[in-house]
Amino acid sequence: MALEKMKIQSLKKAYEGSYLSPHEVRDEGYEKGAGLDEAYGLFLTWLPKKDSDRHIIPAAAADNLCLEGQRTTCASRIMENYHSPFSAFALEKAAAAGFEVVAKSNLDEFGIGDSTGVSPFKTTVNPWKEGHQGGSGAAAAVASGAVMAAFASDASGGLRQEASYSGVVGVKPTYGRVSRRGLIDYASSLDQVGVLGRCVEDAAYALAAISGHDPKDPTSIDRPVDFDPPLKKPGGPITMACPREWQEAKGLDAAVAKVFGKTLEHLSSQGIQIEEVSLPALKWSSPVTAIIASVEAFSTLANFDGIRFGERARGEHLQDMYVQTRTRGFGPRVKEFLTYGALVSSGKYYQDYFLWAQKCRRFIRDQVLALLENTSFIILPTVPFAPPPLDEKSPGPEPKGHIFTSPANLAGLPAVSLPAGIHDALPVGLQLIGRPFGEGPLLQAAALLEDIISFPGLALGEQEG
Amino acid sequence: MKITREELKAAAVDARLDFSAEETEPLRQKYQEALEKIQAVKEDMGPVDTPPLFYPQEVKNTYRNDRQEEPLPREKALANAPDADSSCFHVPRIIEG
Amino acid sequence: MSAEYEPVIGLEIHVELLTETKLFCGCSTAFGAEPNTQVCSICLGLPGHRPLLNRKAAEYAIRAALALNCRVASHTTFDRKNYFYCDLPKGYQISQFFYPMGTHGHVDIKMGGKDRRIGLRQIHLEEDTGKLLHSGSIVDADFSRVDFNRAGVPLIEIVSEPDIRSPEEARLFLQKLRAILLYTGISDCKMEEGSMRCDANVSLRPAGSQEFFTKTELKNMNSFRSVQKGIEYEIARQGKVLKKGGRVMPETRHFDETSGTTKAMRSKFAAADYRCFPDPNVPPLEVEKDWVANIKEALPELPAARLQRFTDLGLPDYDAEVLTSNKELADYFDAALTHYNNPKTLSNWLMGEFLGLLNAANLEVSQSRVTPGALARLLTLKDKGTISGKIAKEVFADMFTTGKEPESLIEEKGLTQISDTGELERLAGEVLANNPGSVSDYKSGKKKALGFLVGQIMKATRGKANPQLANEILLKKLEEL
């Protein structure tokens, strides 16, 4: 048995044909997983091994998704010993569909900023190349074969960024498609729970499992799930729009430009119609998103006050206790982001920055939706640069890797990142953005691109047959 | 437009955070750069007169009925508290100084 | 206060709504439970929680807005008001900052016989906070204990215009507001339990001027009396400061019940900037016209309409005011009236006997053991002459303490009025024989002596004789003498 070479579909067939038992799958998963965790710094908490005969699919969940009675840290010192009294609805749904979370994975503290994979507790290393960022424990766990799928969140592009870094598929669904209850989000109007898989079909399995209405999440929307695998082939010829502004993006690596450009050529040669268009919003989206996300984070993370939960630091009086607790409990990246949020929403800046950004959000959303009236998909690189070295410093309040991903968050649109190629032993991802609740067509198109690109996935690379 | 150290300090206090003297100036410069970038974006975009969009989906009127649900058992409610007795959370003295 | 200054007062009143559950979760709102037994991940603000709006709370806020003559918002959002305090679990309070449920309302009061209209700027729905418990005072306590049972209970905040001109007017306005809200049934408005709380913004201005000096905000006034006392003290204090050429500081001051004074509460961390914005987790509310129309349709009769109806029944203005100022009393009056169609007599009994006994026993109308039906039957027995008015009052007092029916009390104690002519004639004969002096007084023209003689019959029958009949029989016998 070689779990890391299997797709979810083949695992299911193996169970049905009794070639494999859940116990064997668990044994292998826990044993190999421990080695991979050791090597790449994947997990913050291993969950106790279960003993049921259910046909399970081993999975990981980012440590900002709550599981009842389990430690949930958001990879932050302030939450080091927090045990949630309830589970994320998405993880409950995943469990009902057979996904068994074996470990809670490492992430940037609270998921804020670029996906560096560096947290106060662990550093996740890129399984493709030593010394480089892997994005997150979830992405590296899927890439290395420690689990078959993972659940994580995406507020301005983090999930797609980590998928791109680790050479796996990452899907951020339409806002409202998946319940956000039990996700410890920081930017409530942007954050969505999404999935990571080794291939588009696995990601579709995982996404279908967690999608659906949650009557207890007021932002959850009741829409039928029409993307259960096996994914259909797209009906007719596929057309995509590629905004030319990607070439002028700040911080664009020549290597990324080269891989993405070649991929576009290759796709065109294989019958995919790619139209060059203009989407000026690409130039504005990331700083606008950073303003909105930081203000929401300033407010949303105000409950981390050392009273009902969390690590408390001593203070001379109540207000001093807040300052001590938060100053010691949060890491530098989070503090920088929260203070930025406090600054751009303060009396002097509220109108010109925070409110302005919310106006821009509508403007940008309308521009993206108008483009999607005429085309089914927008194609872009996922991240402007290759996975950086592990010691790269934070650039400032605005993440530098979310130029291409943040429009989908501002507009609440579904988007998928899939591997486009390799440069210097590191994967480069491309991104497709679809129409609202268009996960079905989006995943079908992604699967077609995946076929054409034939990316040699790390775990699936030497797959037989 | 220039962000002052005082503005930064005040914003930090409102977020109940404190930065050391060494941390403040580099941070101020980062914010200064970020806001200068916003200025450049504003010039590029021109005036934006669309109404603000606070929600990414046009969902409205999501309710529940006025029906009781099981509360958390008190031990569970207090279980994560850094300081509590058997019935209440404890906080340091309210009065400053 | 010196006459050269005029007070300008606005009130902010918080009223807890009588819903079963909290504003955004299914925890009970019952008062007085053991600390932290009515809490969940939502009202504790635990990581990952999602708030879900209680439809009834929105309905109650609309009902209050309609009852207070407000325009009801057609579109509203639930906004985060951000600040740090230990009774606020999430670090923000969800409130209707941008679009209050109601605006442009008013309450009419009578002040010194004159009609006054106090404007209401807005009514909005929001969450209540938790409660702090200290051993000793907040000043001395080394630590506080926090109970979050109250956190998330739905409140409406009612903000008046600065239309109030005296401490007494403030109290009258608050009492009238409470009466109206009690009519609507959205709150029990118990100041002593904190389900109705009042803060006051107080400032002074030179008499006749339109501009006013700096205002202070008064908190911690837990009764109608303290509202009046607190404002009185604050007006006097500000007057002294201004007279000495000083300046009133814009600050929050706590009223101290025992000393009757106000004291500044200062904090270096006072929230100056709430950074309000719509909560992305709570979608906006479109208030459909039909919904408002249905709520309006179902509104109970409010004090003003009831007052009009009572005066139309022929009650004096004063009676109608007293009866309608207390919804329970007015309900009681209406209930009794369906069995006893003499409004004025009924009103006299309610305002005299009934309120007298209730006040003496410190009870609410709802705690009375006498049902409206029983009172109506008692008054009917009195009118029919089965018992005298005096006996009726005694029976009523017994009914009040025992809860027994009037018929059984009258029978038990043999209180039926003596209207037997033969018996009364015999008694009259005895009385005339035993009081020759009074008889001769009467004969010599001192008609008052008749009263004494009737009194003697009443005494002999321990009040049970029908006084009308006794009077007639005595007259007849005196004429015959």
PDB file of all heavy atoms in Angstrom, chain A residues 189-218:
ATOM      1  N   SER A 189     -15.585  39.337   6.782  1.00  0.00           N
ATOM      2  CA  SER A 189     -16.248  39.556   5.493  1.00  0.00           C
ATOM      3  C   SER A 189     -15.432  38.988   4.336  1.00  0.00           C
ATOM      4  O   SER A 189     -15.877  39.034   3.188  1.00  0.00           O
ATOM      5  CB  SER A 189     -16.511  41.048   5.266  1.00  0.00           C
ATOM      6  OG  SER A 189     -15.332  41.717   4.877  1.00  0.00           O
ATOM      7  N   LEU A 190     -14.239  38.500   4.621  1.00  0.00           N
ATOM      8  CA  LEU A 190     -13.353  38.007   3.558  1.00  0.00           C
ATOM      9  C   LEU A 190     -13.047  36.522   3.696  1.00  0.00           C
ATOM     10  O   LEU A 190     -12.808  35.831   2.709  1.00  0.00           O
ATOM     11  CB  LEU A 190     -12.027  38.785   3.597  1.00  0.00           C
ATOM     12  CG  LEU A 190     -12.138  40.301   3.406  1.00  0.00           C
ATOM     13  CD1 LEU A 190     -10.870  40.998   3.881  1.00  0.00           C
ATOM     14  CD2 LEU A 190     -12.419  40.643   1.950  1.00  0.00           C
ATOM     15  N   ASP A 191     -13.026  36.044   4.947  1.00  0.00           N
ATOM     16  CA  ASP A 191     -12.576  34.687   5.248  1.00  0.00           C
ATOM     17  C   ASP A 191     -13.556  33.616   4.790  1.00  0.00           C
ATOM     18  O   ASP A 191     -14.747  33.723   5.052  1.00  0.00           O
ATOM     19  CB  ASP A 191     -12.428  34.543   6.772  1.00  0.00           C
ATOM     20  CG  ASP A 191     -10.987  34.411   7.198  1.00  0.00           C
ATOM     21  OD1 ASP A 191     -10.288  33.550   6.644  1.00  0.00           O
ATOM     22  OD2 ASP A 191     -10.575  35.147   8.106  1.00  0.00           O
ATOM     23  N   GLN A 192     -13.056  32.599   4.123  1.00  0.00           N
ATOM     24  CA  GLN A 192     -13.855  31.427   3.783  1.00  0.00           C
ATOM     25  C   GLN A 192     -13.064  30.176   4.137  1.00  0.00           C
ATOM     26  O   GLN A 192     -11.832  30.183   4.058  1.00  0.00           O
ATOM     27  CB  GLN A 192     -14.138  31.393   2.280  1.00  0.00           C
ATOM     28  CG  GLN A 192     -15.497  31.950   1.905  1.00  0.00           C
ATOM     29  CD  GLN A 192     -16.647  31.093   2.418  1.00  0.00           C
ATOM     30  OE1 GLN A 192     -16.874  30.003   1.955  1.00  0.00           O
ATOM     31  NE2 GLN A 192     -17.381  31.606   3.390  1.00  0.00           N
ATOM     32  N   VAL A 193     -13.783  29.120   4.522  1.00  0.00           N
ATOM     33  CA  VAL A 193     -13.127  27.829   4.717  1.00  0.00           C
ATOM     34  C   VAL A 193     -12.994  27.182   3.339  1.00  0.00           C
ATOM     35  O   VAL A 193     -13.945  27.194   2.559  1.00  0.00           O
ATOM     36  CB  VAL A 193     -13.953  26.917   5.639  1.00  0.00           C
ATOM     37  CG1 VAL A 193     -13.255  25.567   5.813  1.00  0.00           C
ATOM     38  CG2 VAL A 193     -14.172  27.587   6.990  1.00  0.00           C
ATOM     39  N   GLY A 194     -11.807  26.680   3.041  1.00  0.00           N
ATOM     40  CA  GLY A 194     -11.587  26.016   1.764  1.00  0.00           C
ATOM     41  C   GLY A 194     -10.843  24.715   1.956  1.00  0.00           C
ATOM     42  O   GLY A 194     -10.679  24.241   3.084  1.00  0.00           O
ATOM     43  N   VAL A 195     -10.383  24.151   0.848  1.00  0.00           N
ATOM     44  CA  VAL A 195      -9.760  22.820   0.909  1.00  0.00           C
ATOM     45  C   VAL A 195      -8.462  22.771   0.111  1.00  0.00           C
ATOM     46  O   VAL A 195      -8.239  23.571  -0.797  1.00  0.00           O
ATOM     47  CB  VAL A 195     -10.710  21.740   0.343  1.00  0.00           C
ATOM     48  CG1 VAL A 195     -11.986  21.665   1.155  1.00  0.00           C
ATOM     49  CG2 VAL A 195     -11.033  22.013  -1.125  1.00  0.00           C
ATOM     50  N   LEU A 196      -7.625  21.802   0.477  1.00  0.00           N
ATOM     51  CA  LEU A 196      -6.398  21.513  -0.248  1.00  0.00           C
ATOM     52  C   LEU A 196      -6.417  20.033  -0.602  1.00  0.00           C
ATOM     53  O   LEU A 196      -6.797  19.198   0.224  1.00  0.00           O
ATOM     54  CB  LEU A 196      -5.178  21.808   0.636  1.00  0.00           C
ATOM     55  CG  LEU A 196      -5.002  23.281   1.024  1.00  0.00           C
ATOM     56  CD1 LEU A 196      -4.357  23.409   2.387  1.00  0.00           C
ATOM     57  CD2 LEU A 196      -4.189  24.015  -0.031  1.00  0.00           C
ATOM     58  N   GLY A 197      -6.028  19.733  -1.840  1.00  0.00           N
ATOM     59  CA  GLY A 197      -5.980  18.327  -2.260  1.00  0.00           C
ATOM     60  C   GLY A 197      -4.820  18.130  -3.207  1.00  0.00           C
ATOM     61  O   GLY A 197      -4.260  19.084  -3.734  1.00  0.00           O
ATOM     62  N   ARG A 198      -4.473  16.857  -3.438  1.00  0.00           N
ATOM     63  CA  ARG A 198      -3.339  16.593  -4.335  1.00  0.00           C
ATOM     64  C   ARG A 198      -3.723  16.757  -5.794  1.00  0.00           C
ATOM     65  O   ARG A 198      -2.875  16.893  -6.658  1.00  0.00           O
ATOM     66  CB  ARG A 198      -2.837  15.174  -4.119  1.00  0.00           C
ATOM     67  CG  ARG A 198      -2.097  15.029  -2.825  1.00  0.00           C
ATOM     68  CD  ARG A 198      -1.615  13.585  -2.745  1.00  0.00           C
ATOM     69  NE  ARG A 198      -1.649  13.159  -1.378  1.00  0.00           N
ATOM     70  CZ  ARG A 198      -1.920  11.925  -0.995  1.00  0.00           C
ATOM     71  NH1 ARG A 198      -2.211  10.993  -1.889  1.00  0.00           N
ATOM     72  NH2 ARG A 198      -1.901  11.617   0.265  1.00  0.00           N
ATOM     73  N   CYS A 199      -5.033  16.674  -6.071  1.00  0.00           N
ATOM     74  CA  CYS A 199      -5.496  16.875  -7.439  1.00  0.00           C
ATOM     75  C   CYS A 199      -6.861  17.548  -7.365  1.00  0.00           C
ATOM     76  O   CYS A 199      -7.460  17.623  -6.296  1.00  0.00           O
ATOM     77  CB  CYS A 199      -5.584  15.537  -8.183  1.00  0.00           C
ATOM     78  SG  CYS A 199      -6.683  14.367  -7.378  1.00  0.00           S
ATOM     79  N   VAL A 200      -7.328  18.027  -8.495  1.00  0.00           N
ATOM     80  CA  VAL A 200      -8.590  18.767  -8.508  1.00  0.00           C
ATOM     81  C   VAL A 200      -9.729  17.887  -8.012  1.00  0.00           C
ATOM     82  O   VAL A 200     -10.594  18.327  -7.245  1.00  0.00           O
ATOM     83  CB  VAL A 200      -8.884  19.303  -9.930  1.00  0.00           C
ATOM     84  CG1 VAL A 200     -10.263  19.933  -9.989  1.00  0.00           C
ATOM     85  CG2 VAL A 200      -7.813  20.319 -10.336  1.00  0.00           C
ATOM     86  N   GLU A 201      -9.721  16.625  -8.423  1.00  0.00           N
ATOM     87  CA  GLU A 201     -10.829  15.761  -8.033  1.00  0.00           C
ATOM     88  C   GLU A 201     -10.866  15.539  -6.514  1.00  0.00           C
ATOM     89  O   GLU A 201     -11.936  15.566  -5.899  1.00  0.00           O
ATOM     90  CB  GLU A 201     -10.732  14.418  -8.750  1.00  0.00           C
ATOM     91  CG  GLU A 201     -12.000  13.606  -8.567  1.00  0.00           C
ATOM     92  CD  GLU A 201     -11.949  12.298  -9.348  1.00  0.00           C
ATOM     93  OE1 GLU A 201     -11.282  11.360  -8.888  1.00  0.00           O
ATOM     94  OE2 GLU A 201     -12.563  12.260 -10.413  1.00  0.00           O
ATOM     95  N   ASP A 202      -9.700  15.339  -5.912  1.00  0.00           N
ATOM     96  CA  ASP A 202      -9.655  15.177  -4.455  1.00  0.00           C
ATOM     97  C   ASP A 202     -10.161  16.449  -3.763  1.00  0.00           C
ATOM     98  O   ASP A 202     -10.895  16.390  -2.776  1.00  0.00           O
ATOM     99  CB  ASP A 202      -8.222  14.886  -3.979  1.00  0.00           C
ATOM    100  CG  ASP A 202      -7.827  13.420  -4.225  1.00  0.00           C
ATOM    101  OD1 ASP A 202      -8.634  12.691  -4.833  1.00  0.00           O
ATOM    102  OD2 ASP A 202      -6.713  13.039  -3.802  1.00  0.00           O
ATOM    103  N   ALA A 203      -9.734  17.582  -4.292  1.00  0.00           N
ATOM    104  CA  ALA A 203     -10.188  18.848  -3.710  1.00  0.00           C
ATOM    105  C   ALA A 203     -11.701  18.974  -3.845  1.00  0.00           C
ATOM    106  O   ALA A 203     -12.386  19.440  -2.925  1.00  0.00           O
ATOM    107  CB  ALA A 203      -9.490  20.019  -4.392  1.00  0.00           C
ATOM    108  N   ALA A 204     -12.239  18.521  -4.995  1.00  0.00           N
ATOM    109  CA  ALA A 204     -13.691  18.577  -5.198  1.00  0.00           C
ATOM    110  C   ALA A 204     -14.417  17.685  -4.193  1.00  0.00           C
ATOM    111  O   ALA A 204     -15.457  18.054  -3.642  1.00  0.00           O
ATOM    112  CB  ALA A 204     -14.030  18.163  -6.626  1.00  0.00           C
ATOM    113  N   TYR A 205     -13.845  16.484  -3.934  1.00  0.00           N
ATOM    114  CA  TYR A 205     -14.414  15.604  -2.898  1.00  0.00           C
ATOM    115  C   TYR A 205     -14.497  16.337  -1.559  1.00  0.00           C
ATOM    116  O   TYR A 205     -15.526  16.342  -0.881  1.00  0.00           O
ATOM    117  CB  TYR A 205     -13.513  14.381  -2.692  1.00  0.00           C
ATOM    118  CG  TYR A 205     -13.954  13.148  -3.432  1.00  0.00           C
ATOM    119  CD1 TYR A 205     -13.171  12.599  -4.435  1.00  0.00           C
ATOM    120  CD2 TYR A 205     -15.155  12.516  -3.107  1.00  0.00           C
ATOM    121  CE1 TYR A 205     -13.564  11.463  -5.127  1.00  0.00           C
ATOM    122  CE2 TYR A 205     -15.562  11.373  -3.786  1.00  0.00           C
ATOM    123  CZ  TYR A 205     -14.773  10.850  -4.794  1.00  0.00           C
ATOM    124  OH  TYR A 205     -15.165   9.734  -5.456  1.00  0.00           O
ATOM    125  N   ALA A 206     -13.384  16.925  -1.185  1.00  0.00           N
ATOM    126  CA  ALA A 206     -13.310  17.571   0.123  1.00  0.00           C
ATOM    127  C   ALA A 206     -14.254  18.774   0.192  1.00  0.00           C
ATOM    128  O   ALA A 206     -14.948  18.990   1.187  1.00  0.00           O
ATOM    129  CB  ALA A 206     -11.874  18.002   0.409  1.00  0.00           C
ATOM    130  N   LEU A 207     -14.310  19.540  -0.901  1.00  0.00           N
ATOM    131  CA  LEU A 207     -15.161  20.727  -0.895  1.00  0.00           C
ATOM    132  C   LEU A 207     -16.637  20.341  -0.866  1.00  0.00           C
ATOM    133  O   LEU A 207     -17.433  20.941  -0.134  1.00  0.00           O
ATOM    134  CB  LEU A 207     -14.858  21.609  -2.107  1.00  0.00           C
ATOM    135  CG  LEU A 207     -15.602  22.941  -2.113  1.00  0.00           C
ATOM    136  CD1 LEU A 207     -15.173  23.807  -0.928  1.00  0.00           C
ATOM    137  CD2 LEU A 207     -15.378  23.702  -3.416  1.00  0.00           C
ATOM    138  N   ALA A 208     -16.995  19.307  -1.645  1.00  0.00           N
ATOM    139  CA  ALA A 208     -18.392  18.865  -1.648  1.00  0.00           C
ATOM    140  C   ALA A 208     -18.795  18.410  -0.249  1.00  0.00           C
ATOM    141  O   ALA A 208     -19.926  18.629   0.195  1.00  0.00           O
ATOM    142  CB  ALA A 208     -18.586  17.745  -2.663  1.00  0.00           C
ATOM    143  N   ALA A 209     -17.831  17.803   0.466  1.00  0.00           N
ATOM    144  CA  ALA A 209     -18.135  17.288   1.803  1.00  0.00           C
ATOM    145  C   ALA A 209     -18.485  18.408   2.778  1.00  0.00           C
ATOM    146  O   ALA A 209     -19.362  18.248   3.625  1.00  0.00           O
ATOM    147  CB  ALA A 209     -16.937  16.495   2.332  1.00  0.00           C
ATOM    148  N   ILE A 210     -17.824  19.559   2.662  1.00  0.00           N
ATOM    149  CA  ILE A 210     -18.041  20.616   3.674  1.00  0.00           C
ATOM    150  C   ILE A 210     -19.028  21.689   3.205  1.00  0.00           C
ATOM    151  O   ILE A 210     -19.390  22.560   3.980  1.00  0.00           O
ATOM    152  CB  ILE A 210     -16.707  21.289   4.081  1.00  0.00           C
ATOM    153  CG1 ILE A 210     -16.043  21.985   2.888  1.00  0.00           C
ATOM    154  CG2 ILE A 210     -15.771  20.277   4.733  1.00  0.00           C
ATOM    155  CD1 ILE A 210     -14.848  22.844   3.276  1.00  0.00           C
ATOM    156  N   SER A 211     -19.460  21.615   1.937  1.00  0.00           N
ATOM    157  CA  SER A 211     -20.380  22.641   1.443  1.00  0.00           C
ATOM    158  C   SER A 211     -21.795  22.375   1.937  1.00  0.00           C
ATOM    159  O   SER A 211     -22.153  21.249   2.232  1.00  0.00           O
ATOM    160  CB  SER A 211     -20.377  22.651  -0.086  1.00  0.00           C
ATOM    161  OG  SER A 211     -19.106  23.056  -0.548  1.00  0.00           O
ATOM    162  N   GLY A 212     -22.588  23.425   1.973  1.00  0.00           N
ATOM    163  CA  GLY A 212     -23.998  23.266   2.345  1.00  0.00           C
ATOM    164  C   GLY A 212     -24.404  24.247   3.412  1.00  0.00           C
ATOM    165  O   GLY A 212     -23.563  24.789   4.135  1.00  0.00           O
ATOM    166  N   HIS A 213     -25.698  24.455   3.481  1.00  0.00           N
ATOM    167  CA  HIS A 213     -26.232  25.494   4.353  1.00  0.00           C
ATOM    168  C   HIS A 213     -26.085  25.157   5.827  1.00  0.00           C
ATOM    169  O   HIS A 213     -26.335  24.030   6.241  1.00  0.00           O
ATOM    170  CB  HIS A 213     -27.718  25.714   4.021  1.00  0.00           C
ATOM    171  CG  HIS A 213     -28.330  26.843   4.756  1.00  0.00           C
ATOM    172  ND1 HIS A 213     -29.515  26.745   5.447  1.00  0.00           N
ATOM    173  CD2 HIS A 213     -27.919  28.124   4.924  1.00  0.00           C
ATOM    174  CE1 HIS A 213     -29.800  27.903   5.994  1.00  0.00           C
ATOM    175  NE2 HIS A 213     -28.853  28.767   5.696  1.00  0.00           N
ATOM    176  N   ASP A 214     -25.676  26.132   6.611  1.00  0.00           N
ATOM    177  CA  ASP A 214     -25.632  26.012   8.068  1.00  0.00           C
ATOM    178  C   ASP A 214     -26.606  27.040   8.639  1.00  0.00           C
ATOM    179  O   ASP A 214     -26.325  28.233   8.626  1.00  0.00           O
ATOM    180  CB  ASP A 214     -24.197  26.295   8.565  1.00  0.00           C
ATOM    181  CG  ASP A 214     -24.111  26.313  10.090  1.00  0.00           C
ATOM    182  OD1 ASP A 214     -25.135  26.036  10.755  1.00  0.00           O
ATOM    183  OD2 ASP A 214     -23.013  26.605  10.610  1.00  0.00           O
ATOM    184  N   PRO A 215     -27.748  26.585   9.124  1.00  0.00           N
ATOM    185  CA  PRO A 215     -28.746  27.553   9.617  1.00  0.00           C
ATOM    186  C   PRO A 215     -28.239  28.388  10.789  1.00  0.00           C
ATOM    187  O   PRO A 215     -28.843  29.400  11.132  1.00  0.00           O
ATOM    188  CB  PRO A 215     -29.933  26.678  10.030  1.00  0.00           C
ATOM    189  CG  PRO A 215     -29.412  25.286  10.124  1.00  0.00           C
ATOM    190  CD  PRO A 215     -28.200  25.195   9.235  1.00  0.00           C
ATOM    191  N   LYS A 216     -27.126  27.952  11.401  1.00  0.00           N
ATOM    192  CA  LYS A 216     -26.610  28.719  12.538  1.00  0.00           C
ATOM    193  C   LYS A 216     -25.473  29.668  12.158  1.00  0.00           C
ATOM    194  O   LYS A 216     -24.888  30.297  13.032  1.00  0.00           O
ATOM    195  CB  LYS A 216     -26.151  27.766  13.642  1.00  0.00           C
ATOM    196  CG  LYS A 216     -27.323  27.062  14.294  1.00  0.00           C
ATOM    197  CD  LYS A 216     -26.863  26.289  15.493  1.00  0.00           C
ATOM    198  CE  LYS A 216     -28.080  25.825  16.299  1.00  0.00           C
ATOM    199  NZ  LYS A 216     -27.651  25.080  17.483  1.00  0.00           N
ATOM    200  N   ASP A 217     -25.151  29.719  10.882  1.00  0.00           N
ATOM    201  CA  ASP A 217     -24.195  30.732  10.421  1.00  0.00           C
ATOM    202  C   ASP A 217     -24.964  31.680   9.507  1.00  0.00           C
ATOM    203  O   ASP A 217     -25.336  31.321   8.395  1.00  0.00           O
ATOM    204  CB  ASP A 217     -23.042  30.076   9.655  1.00  0.00           C
ATOM    205  CG  ASP A 217     -22.120  31.125   9.022  1.00  0.00           C
ATOM    206  OD1 ASP A 217     -22.354  32.336   9.218  1.00  0.00           O
ATOM    207  OD2 ASP A 217     -21.165  30.731   8.326  1.00  0.00           O
ATOM    208  N   PRO A 218     -25.222  32.909   9.981  1.00  0.00           N
ATOM    209  CA  PRO A 218     -26.059  33.816   9.188  1.00  0.00           C
ATOM    210  C   PRO A 218     -25.446  34.183   7.845  1.00  0.00           C
ATOM    211  O   PRO A 218     -26.153  34.672   6.970  1.00  0.00           O
ATOM    212  CB  PRO A 218     -26.207  35.055  10.073  1.00  0.00           C
ATOM    213  CG  PRO A 218     -25.173  34.937  11.128  1.00  0.00           C
ATOM    214  CD  PRO A 218     -24.799  33.494  11.252  1.00  0.00           C
TER     215      PRO A 218
END
